[in-house]
Amino acid sequence: MKSKTYQVLFALLTIGLGTILHFTYEWSGNHPFVGIFSAVNESTWEHLKLLVVPMVLFVLPEYFLYGYSHPNFIPVRFLSILLGMAVIVTAFYTYKGILGKDYLWADITVFLLGVITAYWFSGKLLQTDALTSDLAVKLSLLGFTLLVICFIVFTYYPPAIGLFHSPEGT
């Protein structure tokens, strides 16, 4: 199977698993462990887990299926996740600012846009020689580690800014 086919497959798997992760915390009876990888409230930060958790989980299988042939796979995947997060945050606050409130159909569209952008970017950058240095790989692994730590810590100790708090009425 070619890299592009795997990219599409894992994008679809990310969408599927991300959708499920929206509900797993509630389904677990609000179990604290499940909150590490599931959205625990309606904040934008918690909804970023719907993209980040599947993409991080899929790094290993993707690496062994096709990523090993791309020396820049790890840095590209890390940057793809950051780009997907940025797209979600930017698109959500832009449409909410324009329309004055959030809508479920728009939230779903924003999530899909974030996933599609992340995998599209990954596919494009994997075709280049960019970010192939050992330093790029090491910094990306450090970035992955810090990102995971942030999601765990900020789930239970969110900073006092809007990104980390549920919208009013939810």
Side-chain angles (χ1 to χ4, degrees):
M1 209 181 270
K2 294 185 177 188
S3 294
K4 187 175 182 177
T5 304
Y6 280 124
Q7 292 268 331
V8 171
L9 172 65
F10 280 100
L12 293 172
L13 290 172
T14 297
I15 290 166
L17 181 56
T19 300
I20 291 168
L21 289 175
H22 187 274
F23 304 102
T24 51
Y25 182 68
E26 186 178 333
W27 292 345
S28 75
N30 300 344
H31 193 282
F33 177 74
V34 177
I36 291 171
F37 54 86
S38 300
V40 301
N41 60 44
E42 293 298 317
S43 73
T44 306
W45 177 258
E46 289 296 313
H47 278 78
L48 292 175
K49 287 181 185 176
L50 308 183
L51 170 117
V52 173
V53 170
M55 287 190 75
V56 169
L57 286 175
F58 295 150
V59 164
L60 243 68
E62 286 184 272
Y63 180 81
F64 289 112
L65 287 169
Y66 69 92
Y68 65 88
S69 65
H70 301 280
N72 61 351
F73 178 78
I74 298 297
V76 166
R77 181 46 43 93
F78 178 65
L79 290 177
S80 296
I81 290 170
L82 294 181
L83 177 61
M85 291 172 63
V87 166
I88 289 171
V89 170
T90 303
F92 174 74
Y93 286 111
T94 299
Y95 99 73
K96 188 175 176 186
I98 292 169
L99 300 179
K101 65 180 203 170
D102 54 311
Y103 295 92
L104 179 60
W105 65 267
D107 293 345
I108 293 168
T109 302
V110 165
F111 169 64
L112 295 174
L113 182 63
V115 173
I116 291 166
T117 301
Y119 277 97
W120 173 84
F121 176 81
S122 179
K124 291 295 184 187
L125 204 55
L126 284 175
Q127 296 173 22
T128 72
D129 291 329
L131 304 169
T132 56
S133 71
D134 287 342
L135 180 61
V137 173
K138 288 176 184 174
L139 288 173
S140 298
L141 290 171
L142 176 63
F144 271 119
T145 303
L146 292 173
L147 188 62
V148 169
I149 289 169
C150 285
F151 271 100
I152 293 169
V153 170
F154 294 158
T155 292
Y156 298 105
Y157 304 100
I161 60 173
L163 179 71
F164 296 91
H165 297 289
S166 294
E168 292 181 30
T170 60

